[in-house]
Amino acid sequence: METDLKARAEAAVPKFKLLKVLNQDQAGRRVSLHGTIDNEPAVMVVERATFPSSEVYLAGLPSSLSRLRNLGANDIYAWSMARTGPVESEVKPDGDNGHENGVDFFADLKINLIYPCTEAHVKKYSKQGVRFVTETPEIYKNHIRPFMQQKREQGRLNWVFNIIEGRTEVEDVIYRTKLGEAGDEGFLLLPDLNWDRKTLEGLHLLALVERRDIWSLRDLKKKHIPWLQHIKSKVVSATTQTYPSIEENQLKLYVHYQPTYYHFHIHIVHVALEAGATQATGKAVGLDSILETLKVMGGDDEAGMDALSMSYTLGEASELWTDIFEPLKTSGAASR
């Protein structure tokens, strides 16, 4: 009986005839379809399966791609959309298929490439334990701030400056003030490399500010409130003008702490984008929450976020853990 049911289920799937797409969620990774099988109504939910752990399969995956379309490249970073199925199986639609120039290309993979990578990249993307740490104002001043400065001086921000100064990703910029003419108000808006640039409910943009004196949210002070409010207003306006089907209250703005790189930037995502690790507590801090914190903070205009204790998660392979927090924990000085 069980064998018969399995055989019936497997035979039914190829006979599914689509009537309507009901929903897309998980940033486009799952789709719900309404259709018929043998003239009977049916609902089919299709979700991208997890990758096999077989090294034999994964070793052959890059060379087996039938198509690859680069979305952008900057310094050692590149990101592309790819197709694993045969090109011959693609069917060119009668109307616009959502791709540039109506090109007949349906991707089922998004690939981010870092080449050549560093040992730090290898550690970042390796499976590792996670710790929840508290960074006091003293730890920030004595350990984290010098760490940030060291990373900036190592040229870790060259790719960011390439974007800001218009040397790379020029065609990707959605909105920007004229370079060098807006002073502290200058910024640009472009797609995050993790967005496929097509699924609006998976929208993920970055706002990079031109000014270089703000490395992270730790540098924000009460005197920056008008500046933050202005940037927020311009970012939201630029996003909704570019994507008219999205309304202001469908956007969520946040910053990371610790950020991946030490140049102030704001993440803009669709509220329907399911929160993964990058939006979780211990990583993402809402822009509105930062503004409200600054507004109620005591002191003069120089009072700021560097006076607070910040708690967040760290991978055990990260330099912040191995070089700072683990030694502090071992020495019993984690609160200093």
Side-chain angles (χ1 to χ4, degrees):
M1 178 66 74
E2 183 178 349
T3 302
D4 291 342
L5 285 175
K6 288 183 177 180
R8 176 175 176 271
E10 290 178 358
V13 172
K15 294 190 289 184
F16 182 87
K17 294 182 178 180
L18 178 68
L19 295 175
K20 182 181 180 181
V21 177
L22 298 176
N23 189 25
Q24 269 191 312
D25 55 6
Q26 291 191 353
R29 293 188 296 273
R30 181 170 61 195
V31 62
S32 301
L33 308 173
H34 179 216
T36 62
I37 297 175
D38 294 333
N39 295 318
E40 293 291 328
V43 169
M44 181 183 294
V45 180
V46 183
E47 184 174 351
R48 297 193 188 279
T50 56
F51 282 99
S53 58
S54 166
E55 291 189 3
V56 174
Y57 166 81
L58 295 173
L61 179 62
S63 60
S64 70
L65 299 174
S66 60
R67 282 200 184 183
L68 189 75
R69 172 175 296 157
N70 180 258
L71 295 176
N74 187 347
D75 195 42
I76 63 174
Y77 302 94
W79 42 102
S80 307
M81 301 301 294
R83 178 174 174 81
T84 54
V87 175
E88 292 76 14
S89 67
E90 294 181 345
V91 179
K92 187 173 181 60
D94 295 329
D96 179 21
N97 66 355
H99 294 285
E100 292 180 6
N101 303 319
V103 173
D104 170 15
F105 176 67
F106 298 93
D108 54 8
L109 291 180
K110 184 173 184 298
I111 297 175
N112 295 343
L113 178 66
I114 305 172
Y115 169 75
C117 73
T118 66
E119 184 61 28
H121 290 118
V122 174
K123 290 180 179 179
K124 176 181 177 180
Y125 290 99
S126 297
K127 186 175 182 179
Q128 57 185 296
V130 179
R131 302 285 182 144
F132 192 71
V133 301
T134 297
E135 178 186 299
T136 63
E138 293 75 24
I139 291 177
Y140 170 71
K141 178 182 177 182
N142 297 328
H143 302 278
I144 303 299
R145 184 71 178 187
F147 176 86
M148 291 179 173
Q149 184 171 356
Q150 178 190 42
K151 296 306 174 188
R152 285 175 62 93
E153 291 174 350
Q154 289 176 351
R156 297 286 183 91
L157 294 176
N158 288 344
W159 69 275
V160 177
F161 299 147
N162 284 340
I163 298 174
I164 293 174
E165 295 170 5
R167 290 192 292 268
T168 58
E169 301 187 48
V170 176
E171 68 281 358
D172 294 327
V173 174
I174 294 169
Y175 172 92
R176 79 167 304 149
T177 54
K178 289 187 177 181
L179 181 62
E181 295 186 10
D184 288 346
E185 306 296 326
F187 78 99
L188 60 84
L189 192 66
L190 76 168
D192 181 84
L193 62 85
N194 290 310
W195 183 39
D196 65 8
R197 309 190 186 194
K198 185 166 67 73
T199 310
L200 288 184
E201 289 190 353
L203 178 85
H204 190 163
L205 306 178
L206 285 181
L208 298 175
V209 302
E210 281 187 27
R211 62 190 298 175
R212 303 189 184 189
D213 60 325
I214 300 181
W215 301 358
S216 75
L217 65 79
R218 283 293 203 183
D219 290 309
L220 295 174
K221 303 180 183 299
K222 291 177 71 70
K223 66 182 181 182
H224 293 128
I225 291 174
W227 175 75
L228 281 172
Q229 291 173 326
H230 170 79
I231 293 294
K232 175 189 173 184
S233 175
K234 294 293 287 185
V235 163
V236 170
S237 176
T239 303
T240 54
Q241 287 177 30
T242 305
Y243 306 102
S245 63
I246 298 178
E247 299 182 25
E248 289 188 14
N249 59 8
Q250 291 179 300
L251 296 174
K252 181 165 57 176
L253 279 64
Y254 62 86
V255 301
H256 282 152
Y257 198 77
Q258 287 275 332
T260 304
Y261 51 94
Y262 297 117
H263 178 90
F264 189 70
H265 55 285
I266 301 168
H267 293 257
I268 305 97
V269 301
H270 196 289
V271 293
L273 177 62
E274 296 187 18
T278 62
Q279 293 189 56
T281 300
K283 181 65 176 179
V285 184
L287 186 62
D288 286 333
S289 296
I290 295 172
L291 276 164
E292 291 304 311
T293 299
L294 291 171
K295 288 177 184 178
V296 301
M297 187 176 287
D300 58 21
D301 280 353
E302 292 298 320
M305 299 295 290
D306 59 349
L308 303 177
S309 288
M310 302 285 299
S311 296
Y312 50 86
T313 55
L314 285 177
E316 290 179 346
S318 72
E319 291 178 89
L320 284 169
W321 173 253
T322 60
D323 296 354
I324 297 176
F325 282 97
E326 186 175 31
L328 287 174
K329 174 179 177 289
T330 302
S331 67
S335 62
R336 298 199 296 271

